[in-house]
Amino acid sequence: MRIVNLKVNGVGKTFIARPETTLLLALREQLGLTGAKRGCAQGACGSCTVLLEGEPVVSCLVPAVTVDGADIATVEGLADGPALSHVQQAFLDGFATQCGFCTPGMIMSAEALLDRNPDPTRDEVNEAISGNVCRCTGYEPIVSAILDAAVRRREGAKL
Amino acid sequence: MPRVNPIDSDYFKDERPDDKFSVIGKTVQRSDALGHVTGRTEFFEDRTFPDLAHVKIHRSAHHHARINSVDVSEALRVPGVLRVITHRDVPSNWYMVLRLIGIEPNDEPVLAEDRVLYKGEPIVAVVADSEAAALEGAARVKVDYTVLPAVLDVEAALAPDAPVIKQAGTNYFVYEGHHARRLRFGDVEQGFAQADRIFEWRYSSAPIEHAPTETTGCVVVPQSSGRLLIHSNTQAAFFTLDNTALILDRPFTDLQVKGGTVGGGFGGKVDVMVEPLACIAATLTNRPVKFVYTREEEMQVSSPRAAERIYIKDGVMNDGRIVARKVMLYVDSGAYSRHSPYGTTKACAHLPGPYTIPNVYADCHCVYTNRTPSSAMRGFGVTIADFALESQMDRIARALEMDPLQFRLKNAYRDGDLKAHRKVAEGTALIEVIQRAAALVGHELPEEYQAMSSRGAGA
Ligand code: FES
Ligand code: FES
């Protein structure tokens, strides 16, 4: 058992973790942040994607004790009150979510992509979400929504 | 905004005197989308309960075996293990979803008793304080088997010398005294005799797993009233409620199912696989209990779409009219019925496809094998039959050197035609759909085909 400190969506959090506690289960069961989902618990589906120091990781494979002191971003931290992030709004407007189970992970992968590459090509979007499985949409609306979000972000930045 | 093809409302206008669509053809936002993009949608596993216990399963290592003995003593010694559940703890140890509509016989034990009929069949459930302890406990259950010969192919299962794997005495579901769901219309042999050409081919498909991103699961919470509250990701809350109550041998009013939020289903979350055991575990321990499939379980033991094998024999005239069609169709139900007897009936109801054929003969078999039980999946029964039927249509058109759309139009059913099931066709639109699809892709049809109508020459 170890005490772990994290900064989650900008807020300091402290909890006790066993060696085998994953970041995913710590977020979901100890910090009450259930946006990240468990689809496989083996790094294969991307439903549990969160940002660790700005980089997307599959949180089901990250032991919580190994990231003591880190900065974590989850889907819950994206909206500013009722104002959604550009990616969230583009997913909503572009019908890029059906059952919604892959959506939080997909959105976090998209946020990370646009943070480092504000004007990605379609291929770069495909690459960025290649670790996120969606069984409902067929991906097309998701890829289009991410490209749409990139435009909205760039235009937002110009305002 | 997504592309939405505008609705062409010119077709069949006179059938809709008051032609005001308020939703069709418009873009309407899903009511749950805001929750999805903010991560606030509550899936069943997003609820946490103090003192939650976990269920994991010890499963059959063989396709077909007799169980000589089950030893749970080591499982009970694993720290954190609270209980083991065997078939003796299940009040009514039968799962038969279709009994709700009067289908018999009961054929699937909730937990295996003296035999297992497929690899992965549940034998013992272990309840523990943690998921890890439940897994460890399940791994420590010891089962002594006598391995029996397995049947893994639908036609092999029906061979006269095949081992009979089902206690009901046949390796097929019995439809009102018959070996198959049958369709008889006209005289198919006479149709073949008068045909210019005969075409016969075989089609087969493999099982298909739905692989939803969220695995099958539930959390059952005992209420102070004595009722059990079931948070489930079922696609069919009332199947869950009714079947669970029957297995628990308790009144339906003892259970409350909260569902409706499903992380992908596609038919794979229609069967009632986790709730009965979670309810028994919750009752025995008086604690909230979670039973959720691992990804491996979802892939290995959740019901896939059935594998099918389909033989189609057609008698066709040189001008492209089909005068006889015979179909022998085999649905691999796997070890147990689940929804497959119903899916096989659907397949039969779909034959001979949307075509008017004067002589039709079909036997649709729901066959038991030692494979994972198959069940519902998007259009099951119809989907694979259509793959076979439409592949057959393309191959015949090619053999006759006919345009495949013209070949279909020539045989398309129309309003007023008598179908093989002795129902008069109405509301047909196949001809118009083909005409429109041809126009959309720039496939030119001769004048006489463009002039055709579902209203039918004969109607
Ligand atoms: S749950 Fe982490 S990748 Fe699937
Ligand atoms: S929306 Fe269902 S898995 Fe992507």
Side-chain angles (χ1 to χ4, degrees), chain B residues 32-102:
Chain B
D32 53 7
L34 184 60
H36 292 352
V37 301
T38 52
R40 291 186 192 283
T41 299
E42 242 189 16
F43 293 87
F44 88 91
E45 212 182 1
D46 293 340
R47 299 175 177 88
T48 39
F49 298 92
D51 224 17
L52 186 67
H54 301 260
V55 167
K56 292 289 170 190
I57 305 292
H58 183 89
R59 297 179 177 279
S60 164
H62 301 285
H63 295 296
H64 190 199
R66 213 173 20 249
I67 296 178
N68 301 322
S69 62
V70 175
D71 177 1
V72 298
S73 53
E74 266 193 50
L76 284 168
R77 278 200 289 275
V78 173
V81 167
L82 304 167
R83 288 278 315 212
V84 297
I85 299 171
T86 70
H87 67 89
R88 288 184 204 87
D89 301 300
V90 185
S92 170
N93 194 31
W94 290 117
Y95 171 59
M96 177 66 186
V97 63
L98 294 173
R99 65 180 157 180
L100 298 175
I101 53 169

Side-chain angles (χ1 to χ4, degrees), chain A residues 24 37-48 58-60:
Chain A
L24 175 65
K37 305 297 178 205
R38 176 168 73 167
C40 68
Q42 53 186 231
C45 74
S47 309
C48 62
V58 280
S59 59
C60 68

Side-chain angles (χ1 to χ4, degrees), chain B residues 279-426:
Chain B
C279 283
I280 292 167
T283 306
L284 290 174
T285 59
N286 198 29
R287 285 170 62 166
V289 169
K290 175 151 79 180
F291 179 9
V292 57
Y293 277 178
T294 61
R295 178 53 57 187
E296 289 86 343
E297 287 176 301
E298 191 69 39
M299 299 305 286
Q300 196 201 333
V301 300
S302 77
S303 314
R305 180 194 292 287
E308 293 186 37
R309 187 163 310 147
I310 304 174
Y311 294 87
I312 309 178
K313 179 178 177 182
D314 286 342
V316 186
M317 305 310 287
N318 284 330
D319 69 357
R321 273 180 309 118
I322 306 172
V323 292
R325 172 165 281 176
K326 181 174 180 181
V327 181
M328 299 301 270
L329 184 148
Y330 304 88
V331 169
D332 189 343
S333 183
Y336 296 109
S337 290
R338 300 204 185 162
H339 285 79
S340 287
Y342 163 75
T344 309
T345 293
K346 270 174 74 187
C348 196
H350 187 60
L351 299 177
Y355 306 107
T356 293
I357 300 175
N359 304 291
V360 179
Y361 181 109
D363 277 357
C364 299
H365 308 76
C366 175
V367 187
Y368 299 110
T369 64
N370 294 113
R371 298 175 77 181
T372 304
S374 61
S375 198
M377 183 182 193
R378 310 189 77 164
F380 65 122
V382 172
T383 317
I384 303 298
D386 261 339
F387 150 71
L389 290 167
E390 298 310 321
S391 301
Q392 178 88 355
M393 295 300 279
D394 283 337
R395 293 170 91 169
I396 296 174
R398 222 174 291 139
L400 296 177
E401 293 182 5
M402 270 187 83
D403 173 82
L405 295 189
Q406 291 175 31
F407 176 54
R408 285 178 172 82
L409 286 168
K410 213 179 247 297
N411 290 287
Y413 68 167
R414 307 171 190 208
D415 285 3
D417 288 350
L418 183 63
K419 303 208 300 181
H421 314 85
R422 295 169 184 75
K423 290 235 163 64
V424 176
E426 51 183 304

Side-chain angles (χ1 to χ4, degrees), chain B residues 61-338:
Chain B
H62 301 285
H63 295 296
H64 190 199
R66 213 173 20 249
I67 296 178
N68 301 322
S69 62
V70 175
D71 177 1
V72 298
S73 53
E74 266 193 50
L76 284 168
R77 278 200 289 275
V78 173
V81 167
L82 304 167
R83 288 278 315 212
V84 297
I85 299 171
T86 70
H87 67 89
R88 288 184 204 87
D89 301 300
V90 185
S92 170
N93 194 31
W94 290 117
Y95 171 59
M96 177 66 186
V97 63
L98 294 173
R99 65 180 157 180
L100 298 175
I101 53 169
I103 306 276
E104 294 179 315
N106 286 337
D107 77 335
E108 179 168 7
V110 176
L111 290 174
E113 298 181 9
D114 60 343
R115 68 191 65 213
V116 282
L117 294 192
Y118 70 97
K119 193 170 171 175
E121 182 162 354
I123 302 173
V124 175
V126 176
V127 197
D129 274 332
S130 69
E131 233 174 332
L135 278 171
E136 180 67 26
R140 301 249 178 141
V141 172
K142 288 209 185 75
V143 180
D144 182 51
Y145 301 96
T146 302
V147 176
L148 300 170
V151 183
L152 300 169
D153 177 86
V154 281
E155 288 179 275
L158 298 182
D161 57 344
V164 175
I165 62 169
K166 298 292 284 187
Q167 285 171 287
T170 59
N171 286 345
Y172 52 85
F173 181 80
V174 178
Y175 288 95
E176 289 108 33
H178 298 287
H179 65 289
R181 182 58 85 193
R182 302 166 314 143
L183 180 58
R184 305 284 186 264
F185 184 63
D187 182 340
V188 82
E189 292 307 327
Q190 200 187 314
F192 289 142
Q194 87 186 59
D196 294 324
R197 309 275 302 266
I198 301 289
F199 298 100
E200 185 171 13
W201 283 296
R202 168 191 191 266
Y203 303 89
S204 60
S205 68
I208 301 172
E209 165 55 32
H210 320 70
T213 47
E214 178 204 42
T215 61
T216 302
C218 69
V219 176
V220 175
V221 189
Q223 306 291 288
S224 52
S225 62
R227 296 174 87 198
L228 294 170
L229 173 56
I230 304 171
H231 296 281
S232 169
N233 61 11
T234 175
Q235 288 176 255
F238 287 94
F239 285 9
T240 295
L241 191 148
D242 296 355
N243 282 284
T244 304
L246 289 170
I247 290 164
L248 299 180
D249 199 16
R250 289 175 67 166
F252 293 179
T253 47
D254 274 11
L255 306 180
Q256 184 187 3
V257 178
K258 280 198 182 171
T261 303
V262 184
F266 323 115
K269 290 174 181 160
V270 170
D271 282 275
V272 188
M273 307 320 296
V274 289
E275 294 88 350
L277 288 172
C279 283
I280 292 167
T283 306
L284 290 174
T285 59
N286 198 29
R287 285 170 62 166
V289 169
K290 175 151 79 180
F291 179 9
V292 57
Y293 277 178
T294 61
R295 178 53 57 187
E296 289 86 343
E297 287 176 301
E298 191 69 39
M299 299 305 286
Q300 196 201 333
V301 300
S302 77
S303 314
R305 180 194 292 287
E308 293 186 37
R309 187 163 310 147
I310 304 174
Y311 294 87
I312 309 178
K313 179 178 177 182
D314 286 342
V316 186
M317 305 310 287
N318 284 330
D319 69 357
R321 273 180 309 118
I322 306 172
V323 292
R325 172 165 281 176
K326 181 174 180 181
V327 181
M328 299 301 270
L329 184 148
Y330 304 88
V331 169
D332 189 343
S333 183
Y336 296 109
S337 290
R338 300 204 185 162

